[in-house]
Amino acid sequence: MTVAIQHLPDRQLAPLLRAYRQAVFQRRIRFLVGTSVLFFCVMLGGWWVGFDIALLASKIDTFTNYFGRIFTLDDGKPVLSDPVEWYWGLIKWSKLLGETLLVAYTGTILGAVIAFFTCFAAASNLAGATTRWVARRFLEFCRTVPEIVFALIFVLAYGLGPMAGVLALAIHTLGALGKLYTEIVENIDMKPVEGITSTGGSRAETIFYAVLPQVWSGFATYTLLRFEINFRGASIMGFVGAGGIGQELLTAVRKFYYSDVSAILVMIVVTVFVLDILTGLVLKRLNRVG
Amino acid sequence: MTQIFDPSRFSSIAARHHEVMRLGARQRQMMFAGAFLGVLLLVFGLIEADFSLSRIINGTGKLGDFAVLMFPPEPGPLFKTYLHALGETLAIALLGTVIAAILAFPFAVLASRNVLPFWLTRFVVRRSFDTIRGVDTLIWALIWISVVGLGPFAGVLAVATADFAAFGKLFSETIETADPKPVEGIRSTGGTAAQEFRFGILPQILPVIAGQILYYFESNTRSATIIGIVGAGGIGLHLSEQIRTLEWQRVAFLVLMVLAVVAVIDFISSRLRTAISGAKPI
């Protein structure tokens, strides 16, 4: 296909071009300043952490080799040639993976339940200013401190094991879900609330009959997504001794049990995939029902 | 206030508004079954995790002791070291985010249907993103440590790796939601494919992508505070050390430092984000 484009004569083109340049000039300047500030910050940061591109370049094949190495058995054969040898610890690892899932589930539910009771106190349409302030600062604190820091402290308080992991995940979940739940509650239609209040309903009745029917599907959606995130969180809880498969992975990496590293990583990634697909299916159903 | 709600009237209301008040019997059964299973699993999880009353009471008591010992927060003699480590944390977050964004962009373009209509490249790139995303930042840190050694450099690479995949997915989704009309306009004037992308798609997606990058920078500041726990630089190393040696005053001080920095970064980033999204596109 041939396309003919008519060029305007220069005399007509010049003022148009000038107008265009003027229009973009300011944006260009702003973009340039922004990029230079960012560039300066990046350079400063690179200097601060000792970022060494030469080191990276010389070690990049170590990185790729590492992946080659972890997919090789101790006798030098690729892992797929002998899956039984590769997954020699399948039973042990499956148990730990199950524990990881259970830690994620229990932590999510505990956190979600407390978040459920907190969110009505943090919502601007259902709570007074003081209650709201307290509830919000509480939720903020719970989600800003990373879960693994809570896990480190809980391991000292409650002893090693999955209990510390469950509690740490629960607290972080409480903070994260509490905020999301609050946002949902703040966006409801207030007419049903007025209706129930006008008939003399108590606060619990108002929430149960006027708020809940509007928010439950949103709550369920966020909780499911949080469960997925928490599985990833639970997979590293073992790094600090708070249960799950992380401990085993840490040992395998630190002691250079190469094929074990790949075996555990593959198990984690596959589980994440499966959870992703399952939550997708459940969400689809949920949105149809709700 | 008088009690007006009378339970005995409920059944007559329910009878009158039959279709509104009653869920399908099957649906209700399923809901109860689901809730029952959920509670059962929760109880099982609590038992498996060794929740017992004595353990909860003992542990909470200890936690209370820790909390008392945290006051007043105090940095000890290492204040300068902590400040340096905090700078490291910020640098890890910034560098990791920037590197990830730069590397992810071309791959995201490859994974976008409206730019490259081959399903095979899209499938391969997307699944790779998903695989990388399945592995947590802290695990990437462990792996990078065994490649480049202990220190913040490994932390930067870990954050960059994990975010590379997250950005790839986000960016490609953003590119796919771009309005096709500007592209058609440029094509109609005889523009090349590169011009279509530069003038048709890029102006639409850049503000969105910039917002996403800033948002991730915020969240990376949080994850960079813990990456030191496995030895990949930043304030996490000191935090975990002081927790393990039970120096609670220093722990409290470090946590406060982290909270302050996170709050400052949140503030700056949300300001920038509104400025960017408010700015008019060309």
Side-chain angles (χ1 to χ4, degrees), chain A residues 31-272:
Chain A
F31 181 75
L32 217 64
V33 170
T35 332
S36 355
V37 169
L38 180 67
F39 184 75
F40 174 75
C41 290
V42 167
M43 284 297 134
L44 185 71
W47 170 74
W48 198 276
V49 299
F51 194 85
D52 191 348
I53 201 90
L55 175 71
L56 181 63
S58 69
K59 288 287 180 75
I60 195 72
D61 59 319
T62 324
F63 181 65
T64 43
N65 283 349
Y66 187 81
F67 282 91
R69 188 68 190 78
I70 62 173
F71 285 103
T72 313
L73 292 172
D74 286 340
D75 55 9
K77 282 188 290 193
V79 284
L80 285 177
S81 69
D82 194 354
V84 178
E85 173 68 23
W86 186 26
Y87 272 100
W88 64 272
L90 184 63
I91 296 170
K92 180 174 66 172
W93 294 333
S94 303
K95 270 188 193 149
L96 285 169
L97 194 71
E99 187 181 279
T100 312
L101 278 166
L102 210 56
V103 167
Y105 176 80
T106 316
T108 310
I109 298 292
L110 282 184
V113 168
I114 308 173
F116 177 81
F117 288 109
T118 318
C119 73
F120 302 112
S124 59
N125 49 353
L126 294 178
T130 322
T131 334
R132 201 162 69 221
W133 192 86
V134 173
R136 292 204 165 174
R137 293 297 89 74
F138 171 64
L139 291 177
E140 235 162 54
F141 174 77
C142 288
R143 67 170 177 273
T144 310
V145 179
E147 53 212 10
I148 201 134
V149 173
F150 280 127
L152 268 170
I153 297 175
F154 289 164
V155 161
L156 290 172
Y158 297 96
L160 289 167
M163 182 175 170
V166 168
L167 288 175
L169 282 178
I171 287 196
H172 196 78
T173 306
L174 160 65
L177 281 183
K179 181 187 182 217
L180 294 169
Y181 287 180
T182 306
E183 277 167 12
I184 298 179
V185 170
E186 284 179 348
N187 283 322
I188 59 166
D189 179 5
M190 286 301 280
K191 289 200 194 88
V193 176
E194 283 159 22
I196 303 277
T197 321
S198 72
T199 62
S202 70
R203 187 175 162 80
E205 281 161 357
T206 312
I207 287 173
F208 191 82
Y209 291 106
V211 182
L212 267 193
Q214 299 187 54
V215 298
W216 75 268
S217 71
F219 280 17
T221 306
Y222 280 130
T223 312
L224 267 176
L225 293 177
R226 192 70 218 176
F227 173 62
E228 242 187 282
I229 299 172
N230 277 348
F231 173 73
R232 265 173 247 189
S235 70
I236 57 166
M237 279 297 155
F239 287 12
V240 296
I245 204 165
Q247 178 99 56
E248 196 73 10
L249 181 65
L250 187 74
T251 317
V253 173
R254 290 250 164 100
K255 296 194 172 164
F256 302 105
Y257 300 151
Y258 288 106
S259 62
D260 288 9
V261 174
S262 69
I264 295 171
L265 279 183
V266 168
M267 279 177 99
I268 292 177
V269 169
V270 167
T271 313
V272 170

Side-chain angles (χ1 to χ4, degrees), chain B residues 56-108:
Chain B
I56 292 174
I57 292 170
N58 274 337
T60 313
K62 268 194 200 164
L63 215 55
D65 291 346
F66 295 164
V68 171
L69 287 172
M70 280 183 184
F71 288 96
E74 187 192 274
L78 290 172
F79 184 56
K80 272 197 179 150
T81 321
Y82 294 162
L83 274 186
H84 187 270
L86 202 60
E88 242 173 47
T89 294
L90 279 179
I92 289 171
L94 179 69
L95 285 176
T97 317
V98 170
I99 293 172
I102 293 172
L103 291 181
F105 192 73
F107 285 96

Side-chain angles (χ1 to χ4, degrees), chain B residues 214-232:
Chain B
L214 275 171
Y215 182 75
Y216 265 78
F217 174 56
E218 260 175 65
S219 99
N220 280 337
T221 319
R222 276 163 222 201
S223 42
T225 57
I226 55 157
I227 215 163
I229 288 174
V230 294

